[in-house]
Amino acid sequence: MALRFLLVAAVLLFCITVQVPSNAKTEDHQIHEVVRGANRRLMTYVDCGGLCNARCSLHSRPNVCTRACGTCCQRCKCVPPGTAGNRELCGKCYTEMTTHGNKTKCP
């Protein structure tokens, strides 16, 4: 019984470990590094819903803004801090994404 408990505890410890990087701003950038599996493969998780809701909170069309922001966040794994501007902080992926009409996609 004790061996089974230790085995389950060890598996849980290796399967799900969430860490917040010390250089990330907890309020502006909610980025987590998730370690999964025995091979300890590192995956980046970004809370796109929360970050995009904050980003688009003052927009004149918040639903349209949140939808576009969500797409950009999923593809680029980044949402700039604040409600406007700062797009260059997310890099080339975020700043160069365009709509079918060649307008900038990401808010």
Side-chain angles (χ1 to χ4, degrees), residues 20-25 29 33:
V20 178
S22 60
N23 61 352
K25 296 179 183 176
H29 290 331
E33 293 177 351

Side-chain angles (χ1 to χ4, degrees), residues 21-67:
S22 60
N23 61 352
K25 296 179 183 176
T26 57
E27 191 173 307
D28 292 336
H29 290 331
Q30 298 171 358
I31 301 172
H32 306 284
E33 293 177 351
V34 179
V35 179
R36 287 206 171 111
N39 61 359
R40 297 183 158 264
R41 197 167 29 123
L42 190 63
M43 297 170 48
T44 302
Y45 169 76
V46 179
D47 178 22
C48 292
L51 292 172
C52 286
N53 283 337
R55 176 89 174 157
C56 297
S57 63
L58 299 179
H59 197 274
S60 61
R61 298 177 66 194
N63 293 338
V64 174
C65 177
T66 303
R67 189 173 63 231

Side-chain angles (χ1 to χ4, degrees), residues 65-78:
C65 177
T66 303
R67 189 173 63 231
C69 178
T71 301
C72 296
C73 178
Q74 290 292 324
R75 291 181 189 172
C76 302
K77 305 287 188 236
C78 183

